[in-house]
Amino acid sequence: MGNDVALLANNLISDLAFLANNWRHVLGRPTYTIIASNDILDHEKIPLAMITTMKKLKSGYINGTRVTLGNLNDFLSTSCVTNLSFLGSQEHGLPDRLNIKVEQYLNEHVMKRFNNKHSLLAKQAPRNSKTRRRMSVKGAIKKTRSIISIDQNDFLAANAASSSNSSQHTPMGRTPSPEAGDTPPLWNMGATSVTPRTRVNSEAYYADTEVEELLTMLRESECLDEQGDILQYLVDTQGLNYDTGMMEEGQAVTVKDLLKVLYEKACQQKLWGLVRHTAGMLGKRVEDLAKAVTDLLVRQKQVTVGMPPANEHTITAPLPENELRHLIHVTYGDDESSAMLTQELLVYLAMFIRTEPQLFLEMLRLRVGLIIQVMATELSRTLICTGEEASEHLLNLSPFEMKNLLHHILSGKEFAISSVGRGNLSVVSRKSGRVSKKSQIDGLVGVMPDQLDSVTEDVEPDRQGQWLRRRRLDGALNRVPRDFYIRVWTVLEKCTGLLLEGRLLPHGLTQEMTSGELKFALAVETVLNCIPQPEYRQLVVEALMVLTLIAERNFVSTLGDIIVVENIVHKANQIFLEDQVRVNGDATLCCAKPKDEAYLKSSGGLLCGGAAFICQHLYDSAPGGSFGTMNYLMRATAEMLDCFPRDGQIDCSVC
């Protein structure tokens, strides 16, 4: 992260905004120090992002905050200076000299550079045909990636596991990426079983290659990605501390030393995917990781790491940095790229929650693994590429662009991708549309049916794929309508229980917990998180909101026995398909066909690719209107519940 100047400039603006919001009742003025060194130069030139930021600082205002720019000496006369005398060698009578142990620590962790070892990977010998043939096989690092490794069997195994979200799961095995033509949506899992895929380890590429030949290949290779593949294999088979037989300044060179050299080169060439992977292999951690997680937790946001649905671990209490790093890397197994990306995203989330807390208003739990999948899927949608290619693009984004993409996902802004040269991608805001930060069901509660059309038109003109994307984003970010958990509590008061994905929310919870209690909200959230498909999860949330309307308006004294919420959603889908047949709608091309024609023979899924056997056209319907999801969920609820009188009229604005 520290090697991306654009991110440093952006963090400077965020830090100043945070100081401006929180320094109002504190005496004095804060001093923000920027250390300028050769590391920020890009080909011996000052990057444009830093020049632009410095010009804004020099003008005296940046983002509405008044600032004064100058050298450090200009502020010393009015600053509070503390003497760090405890770092000196007081016991040896040398107070002006650093303590020997402190000096050794700084030399080892701060001052030590590996530029003098770049010759370790220098080209030394001509290639032979045998080595060239073996070097043509690549992809050892890619095989460690798990961003798109979602399998129905993993989800079934997760349901059979312990119901406690805070329990630690054993990291699941990685699977190879699917072929480009067969790549499904990242979280699209049908009800039918999927044939498990076995991972092909990097050993398959170099199984017949001796270590000495690999080291020769490593020195001959001029491609850093190829060097990374070879070092990945050496780490897997020999370990980080394996002696390569090379010597540098009289000391033996290990595989770890070669990885450090590769990391430095990748940083210089801004190969961010390789930077993240090698940083993970070296056990590095991002700066202020523990502080970032604590910032999220103290604002009552739980954090989960790991790829859903079967391999998530919930963090509910602050942890030291070493324990956090170990927990994250154990959760992701050998996927060092995703582990480092998770650390990175946690820091960005903490930045946003400090400066823009409104982005997190309806979010109780931040599932970082699912956020990673959302980001990859959004790139896949924008770039029109496969899931595997999208995950590669995601991991190769610069830290600044990664932070920018995350902000677009959280804020719901539409974005476009542009190329900025050398294969790098840039995330650019698009003015044509904006995705709601929460489900529109919240804004439609209590609206008369004949008013739904006008309300929906006021929200935003409908476009193909827009509402599907909204539900995917809201579901993946665990966003719910305002006072959602309090309203679910009122539903439980009037029924025996709510059944979701085989998990029961019993009526007894209302006797044990109050409606506004965080523990109750977490219990509901835990059950909702059993639903792996974000868009399907959001439809379930909308169905629950329809039930809350009935409970809050006291149309009936009781809602009956256990309510299977999924049955309401599937009944709504059935009514939707019947209407589509009647009006010859778009669904007649897929799910409204006869049953033997509506399913794919190869996978058993729907022709349209709808999750959980719900037509994708229903997911892509606006909440309001005669063909909106609210209309169908209301009709399905009226048919499924036995508490409504079959004769006479009901005075309500919903049914």
Side-chain angles (χ1 to χ4, degrees):
M1 293 170 61
N3 294 285
D4 187 4
V5 179
L7 179 66
L8 293 177
N10 184 263
N11 288 348
L12 168 62
I13 297 174
S14 299
D15 292 343
L16 292 178
F18 177 75
L19 286 173
N21 291 332
N22 295 275
W23 202 273
R24 297 176 181 177
H25 304 292
V26 182
L27 297 177
R29 293 180 297 176
T31 302
Y32 193 100
T33 306
I34 304 172
I35 301 176
S37 65
N38 292 332
D39 293 337
I40 69 172
L41 298 180
D42 185 10
H43 296 88
E44 304 300 326
K45 295 181 180 179
I46 301 177
L48 180 61
M50 188 58 68
I51 294 176
T52 303
T53 303
M54 288 300 173
K55 285 183 177 179
K56 291 180 180 179
L57 293 173
K58 191 175 181 180
S59 69
Y61 283 91
I62 183 167
N63 277 14
T65 304
R66 186 178 178 183
V67 295
T68 302
L69 180 65
N71 294 325
L72 186 60
N73 290 332
D74 299 337
F75 304 106
L76 287 179
S77 59
T78 58
S79 298
C80 177
V81 180
T82 300
N83 186 10
L84 304 180
S85 58
F86 61 91
L87 294 177
S89 298
Q90 302 284 354
E91 298 178 357
H92 298 86
L94 300 172
D96 296 331
R97 183 174 179 178
L98 284 176
N99 186 286
I100 297 177
K101 292 183 178 180
V102 174
E103 190 172 0
Q104 290 176 349
Y105 176 85
L106 292 176
N107 288 333
E108 182 179 353
H109 292 84
V110 180
M111 306 302 295
K112 189 176 181 181
R113 306 293 292 178
F114 300 97
N115 295 333
N116 59 335
K117 292 188 177 182
H118 283 184
S119 59
L120 293 176
L121 299 180
K123 185 175 180 180
Q124 294 184 3
R127 305 183 185 185
N128 55 54
S129 58
K130 186 176 181 180
T131 302
R132 188 182 300 112
R133 182 177 67 253
R134 285 171 176 166
M135 288 183 63
S136 64
V137 185
K138 302 179 182 179
I141 289 180
K142 289 184 179 180
K143 294 301 175 181
T144 66
R145 307 272 165 80
S146 63
I147 291 182
I148 59 175
S149 295
I150 297 181
D151 194 285
Q152 177 72 7
N153 294 330
D154 294 329
F155 176 62
L156 296 177
N159 281 344
S162 173
S163 60
S164 174
N165 261 20
S166 60
S167 62
Q168 184 170 347
H169 301 282
T170 303
M172 60 182 177
R174 296 188 304 273
T175 58
S177 301
E179 296 297 328
D182 300 329
T183 303
L186 299 187
W187 43 59
N188 188 13
M189 295 183 290
T192 57
S193 61
V194 180
T195 304
R197 296 168 295 178
T198 56
R199 175 184 175 235
V200 180
N201 292 327
S202 57
E203 287 86 341
Y205 295 120
Y206 303 108
D208 58 343
T209 307
E210 298 294 336
V211 174
E212 290 299 326
E213 291 184 27
L214 283 174
L215 293 174
T216 302
M217 292 161 56
L218 184 66
R219 289 191 294 267
E220 292 175 352
S221 175
E222 298 176 356
C223 175
L224 295 190
D225 288 327
E226 198 168 33
Q227 294 178 9
D229 288 338
I230 297 173
L231 288 176
Q232 173 69 50
Y233 170 77
L234 289 175
V235 171
D236 288 343
T237 57
Q238 308 296 332
L240 282 172
N241 297 319
Y242 175 73
D243 188 351
T244 62
M246 293 185 284
M247 301 293 293
E248 182 73 17
E249 297 180 356
Q251 295 183 351
V253 176
T254 63
V255 173
K256 186 175 183 179
D257 292 327
L258 297 178
L259 266 178
K260 292 177 180 178
V261 176
L262 181 62
Y263 172 77
E264 290 289 327
K265 285 187 174 182
C267 289
Q268 292 176 2
Q269 298 187 24
K270 302 188 185 305
L271 301 176
W272 301 113
L274 191 57
V275 168
R276 291 184 175 99
H277 190 81
T278 52
M281 295 175 70
L282 290 170
K284 293 182 178 291
R285 62 176 181 269
V286 299
E287 188 177 358
D288 294 333
L289 176 62
K291 180 178 180 295
V293 174
T294 302
D295 283 340
L296 296 171
L297 294 176
V298 297
R299 290 168 174 83
Q300 293 191 332
K301 307 296 180 186
Q302 288 196 344
V303 178
T304 67
V305 295
M307 289 299 170
N311 202 36
E312 287 185 290
H313 185 101
T314 303
I315 302 173
T316 58
L319 294 172
E321 287 199 354
N322 286 334
E323 292 185 24
L324 266 177
R325 192 205 69 81
H326 177 72
L327 170 63
I328 292 172
H329 283 257
V330 167
T331 304
Y332 285 96
D334 295 333
D335 187 2
E336 303 291 355
S337 301
S338 297
M340 285 305 300
L341 181 57
T342 294
Q343 293 190 42
E344 192 177 334
L345 293 181
L346 286 172
V347 173
Y348 299 154
L349 288 170
M351 291 179 182
F352 293 143
I353 205 169
R354 288 195 297 263
T355 57
E356 300 179 70
Q358 69 276 8
L359 296 177
F360 301 82
L361 286 180
E362 295 95 14
M363 298 165 62
L364 187 62
R365 179 172 290 152
L366 303 174
R367 303 172 70 185
V368 181
L370 196 53
I371 291 176
I372 291 175
Q373 291 179 344
V374 170
M375 296 170 76
T377 301
E378 284 294 285
L379 286 181
S380 176
R381 178 187 64 87
T382 306
L383 298 174
I384 314 177
C385 61
T386 64
E388 181 182 2
E389 293 170 342
S391 64
E392 287 300 312
H393 287 309
L394 176 66
L395 291 170
N396 282 286
L397 286 178
S398 70
F400 171 71
E401 297 301 341
M402 187 71 71
K403 181 182 178 183
N404 196 11
L405 176 60
L406 178 62
H407 187 271
H408 279 80
I409 297 294
L410 291 174
S411 62
K413 293 180 180 178
E414 291 274 6
F415 66 90
I417 301 294
S418 63
S419 177
V420 293
R422 293 189 295 179
N424 296 326
L425 300 177
S426 177
V427 180
V428 182
S429 296
R430 184 189 297 169
K431 298 181 180 179
S432 60
R434 179 183 177 90
V435 177
S436 170
K437 293 198 294 288
K438 58 183 177 180
S439 174
Q440 293 296 325
I441 186 73
D442 187 24
L444 297 173
V445 170
V447 179
M448 295 292 290
D450 56 353
Q451 297 175 330
L452 288 175
D453 288 315
S454 60
V455 171
T456 305
E457 291 174 1
D458 292 338
V459 171
E460 193 172 347
D462 192 21
R463 292 181 302 167
Q464 185 175 4
Q466 173 182 305
W467 288 101
L468 172 62
R469 179 175 180 255
R470 289 189 180 198
R471 290 189 170 94
R472 279 182 175 172
L473 290 182
D474 288 342
L477 295 173
N478 286 12
R479 277 204 176 101
V480 294
R482 186 172 55 252
D483 298 330
F484 171 74
Y485 301 107
I486 297 176
R487 291 170 171 173
V488 172
W489 192 89
T490 62
V491 174
L492 280 178
E493 268 194 319
K494 295 193 174 185
C495 67
T496 306
L498 295 171
L499 191 65
L500 290 165
E501 286 288 335
R503 300 288 188 91
L504 179 65
L505 284 171
H507 170 78
L509 289 178
T510 59
Q511 310 299 319
E512 302 171 7
M513 310 170 192
T514 61
S515 59
E517 192 172 337
L518 178 62
K519 189 177 179 181
F520 175 77
L522 290 174
V524 177
E525 184 75 12
T526 299
V527 174
L528 286 174
N529 284 345
C530 295
I531 303 174
Q533 305 95 333
E535 61 267 44
Y536 182 53
R537 179 190 192 274
Q538 206 59 20
L539 270 190
V540 170
V541 169
E542 294 180 20
L544 286 171
M545 288 301 294
V546 172
L547 291 174
T548 64
L549 294 177
I550 301 172
E552 289 173 351
R553 283 157 178 76
N554 295 317
F555 298 132
V556 290
S557 58
T558 177
L559 296 178
D561 295 329
I562 295 177
I563 301 175
V564 184
V565 184
E566 296 151 288
N567 289 351
I568 296 177
V569 177
H570 283 275
K571 183 63 177 180
N573 181 65
Q574 179 184 338
I575 299 173
F576 169 76
L577 294 179
E578 292 172 357
D579 281 1
Q580 287 289 296
V581 172
R582 178 172 53 83
V583 300
N584 195 25
D586 292 339
T588 55
L589 300 175
C590 52
C591 301
K593 289 183 176 182
K595 285 188 177 181
D596 56 341
E597 300 179 17
Y599 297 92
L600 292 172
K601 294 181 179 180
S602 58
S603 63
L606 297 178
L607 282 175
C608 61
F613 289 90
I614 301 295
C615 182
Q616 189 151 304
H617 292 289
L618 180 60
Y619 286 126
D620 200 26
S621 300
S626 56
F627 295 98
T629 54
M630 280 285 286
N631 175 41
Y632 292 111
L633 289 170
M634 292 173 187
R635 292 164 60 183
T637 302
E639 288 193 28
M640 297 296 294
L641 297 186
D642 298 329
C643 57
F644 295 107
R646 296 302 176 185
D647 299 323
Q649 295 182 350
I650 300 178
D651 183 17
C652 71
S653 59
V654 179
C655 301

